[in-house]
Amino acid sequence: MNTLADIKSMTLSQLTDLIVQNGYPKFRAKQIHDWLVKGVTNFDEMTNIPRNLREFLRASCYISVANIAKKLISRYDRTVKYLFSFNDGECVESVVMRYRHGYSICISTQVGCKMGCTFCATGKSGFSRSLTPSEMLNQIESAQSDLGIRISNVVLMGMGEPLDNFDNTVNFFKLVSSDDGLNIGMRHITLSTCGIVPKIYELADLHLGITLSVSLHAPNDEIRQKTMPIARKYSMEELLQACRDYFKITGRRVTFEYSMIHGVNDSDDNARELAQKLSGMCCHVNLIPVNTVQGTGYIRSNIERQQAFVRILSEKNIAATVRRTLGSDINASCGQLKRNHLEEGGK
């Protein structure tokens, strides 16, 4: 077990406290922080830091990394999928997508996932641990450095459940939005959750300004409980009330993710029931043709069914669109690249 402090997970204020409390001048903290923002991975690279301070840092801290273990680029739309490895050898996936408004990255918050959603590839690899704030940040920095771009939007929709790693996720928000760091505004950040109701209220009370995206994937408890174990703990009524309250508290519209699964949740009756459940809410429904994941037996709804679902929701005044599929030739949904890596003998 690593007993050293994760220095990249510290805010400038926390780093300053560490430096001053150990007898070093306050201004050294800003110098160290600037080196970390530049992406150094070794304290010896901090050339304007005196040797005795560097020795202290080596003895008490470590610099986390996200090394590129594998990289795939879509021939269709130039979407890039990464498998990143961390200091302990654990791996997660991230995806960089190019839109007209700029570059977005979908990052992971845990190694694996505990939630066990039946249509998701991530959970089939098991759960190892949660990521630190710096490990989330490093996915963005490594992708930017590799591609020579600036990422403007961040989506926490990769491997893991962000609200199951609540404190680290909130600290990541502070780091990524800091003027001294990547300076990505909170309104350009989306957090996706399967619906841990108490944590939605905790998040709302922080008034961070991020967008909440809820993985709904069903119009009722019966279907949802078959595909998402979390639904056995929190009913749809509880979850939707939390989403209504999130909007009241934050003023931020909630997005609902809805994977379209042939013969499971994609009928006209399902659409009408969903519209009734969401009636009066300030929300947007993002329909997602379900990904083909080995072992699930699920088949994505065809184009006609997707369009019919959107039409019914729209007629009931529920804003809905079908998500554009990016990186289809590189299995851009998270979990699948790591599974292949494990099958090939990787950790």
Side-chain angles (χ1 to χ4, degrees):
M1 182 177 178
N2 194 348
T3 58
L4 301 178
D6 177 5
I7 195 169
K8 279 196 75 172
S9 286
M10 298 179 188
T11 62
L12 178 56
S13 175
Q14 291 169 330
L15 180 55
T16 300
D17 288 343
L18 174 71
I19 295 304
V20 172
Q21 288 169 9
N22 284 275
Y24 298 98
K26 180 179 178 180
F27 76 91
R28 293 296 184 191
K30 181 65 167 65
Q31 290 179 321
I32 295 166
H33 183 268
D34 289 345
W35 281 113
L36 294 173
V37 171
K38 289 177 182 177
V40 302
T41 57
N42 190 305
F43 292 114
D44 288 332
E45 296 178 63
M46 301 179 178
T47 52
N48 61 344
I49 304 299
R51 181 179 297 176
N52 65 331
L53 178 50
R54 279 184 276 146
E55 289 174 351
F56 163 75
L57 293 174
R58 267 196 303 272
S60 57
C61 304
Y62 74 96
I63 303 174
S64 65
V65 298
N67 294 316
I68 300 172
K70 202 163 189 176
K71 174 183 175 183
L72 301 176
I73 304 175
S74 171
R75 293 170 295 173
Y76 303 143
D77 50 45
R78 308 306 291 172
T79 294
V80 182
K81 185 169 188 177
Y82 290 102
L83 183 69
F84 288 120
S85 65
F86 298 122
N87 296 63
D88 63 355
E90 292 284 8
C91 296
V92 300
E93 296 174 31
S94 304
V95 180
V96 176
M97 298 152 286
R98 183 173 58 183
Y99 296 96
R100 280 176 294 184
H101 61 262
Y103 289 92
S104 294
I105 186 168
C106 176
I107 67 168
S108 297
T109 56
Q110 294 180 312
V111 182
C113 187
K114 303 174 188 174
M115 298 299 112
C117 300
T118 59
F119 46 79
C120 178
T122 297
K124 296 184 179 301
S125 299
F127 174 81
S128 296
R129 64 173 177 84
S130 291
L131 299 190
T132 65
S134 68
E135 288 172 330
M136 298 180 217
L137 192 70
N138 286 341
Q139 295 171 64
I140 305 171
E141 291 181 347
S142 293
Q144 286 191 149
S145 176
D146 179 59
L147 297 174
I149 61 170
R150 169 167 168 76
I151 287 169
S152 56
N153 291 273
V154 180
V155 182
L156 282 68
M157 203 178 285
M159 299 171 65
E161 164 55 59
L163 296 187
D164 187 46
N165 187 18
F166 190 86
D167 291 342
N168 283 341
T169 296
V170 170
N171 287 334
F172 159 73
F173 290 151
K174 295 175 183 177
L175 291 173
V176 75
S177 62
S178 169
D179 293 342
D180 300 305
L182 293 183
N183 196 23
I184 297 175
M186 293 286 193
R187 291 182 179 273
H188 296 279
I189 299 174
T190 299
L191 180 149
S192 176
T193 176
C194 66
I196 303 178
V197 169
K199 293 298 182 182
I200 291 176
Y201 283 102
E202 272 192 65
L203 188 67
D205 288 340
L206 293 175
H207 292 275
L208 295 176
I210 65 168
T211 298
L212 178 67
S213 180
V214 176
S215 296
L216 200 58
H217 306 310
N220 56 53
D221 283 318
E222 182 182 0
I223 295 175
R224 197 163 192 266
Q225 288 174 9
K226 290 177 182 177
T227 54
M228 303 182 70
I230 191 72
R232 297 167 201 153
K233 188 166 186 178
Y234 306 110
S235 69
M236 271 193 71
E237 183 179 348
E238 292 175 287
L239 176 58
L240 294 181
Q241 186 58 52
C243 293
R244 291 186 185 95
D245 291 339
Y246 185 89
F247 173 72
K248 288 178 185 176
I249 295 168
T250 67
R252 300 287 288 167
R253 182 180 73 167
V254 175
T255 297
F256 291 106
E257 306 288 333
Y258 194 101
S259 289
M260 296 285 287
I261 309 172
H262 172 70
V264 175
N265 65 354
D266 65 345
S267 70
D268 287 356
D269 284 342
N270 292 152
R272 284 188 280 268
E273 185 176 10
L274 180 64
Q276 188 274 326
K277 292 278 175 64
L278 301 183
S279 179
M281 291 185 68
C282 183
C283 66
H284 181 271
V285 178
N286 204 354
L287 299 173
I288 310 163
V290 74
N291 294 298
T292 302
V293 177
Q294 187 176 356
T296 65
Y298 291 145
I299 301 170
R300 64 173 51 189
S301 306
N302 61 35
I303 297 295
E304 291 76 15
R305 189 94 299 276
Q306 296 170 33
Q307 292 172 342
F309 211 94
V310 169
R311 185 173 62 254
I312 291 170
L313 291 178
S314 298
E315 288 170 355
K316 301 293 185 180
N317 297 315
I318 305 296
T321 52
V322 177
R323 179 190 288 173
R324 183 161 64 107
T325 301
L326 295 176
S328 58
D329 57 326
I330 56 172
N331 290 327
S333 61
C334 276
Q336 301 184 78
L337 183 56
K338 185 181 179 184
R339 287 189 75 194
N340 293 340
H341 180 67
L342 291 170
E343 290 166 3
E344 291 167 3
K347 182 171 179 179

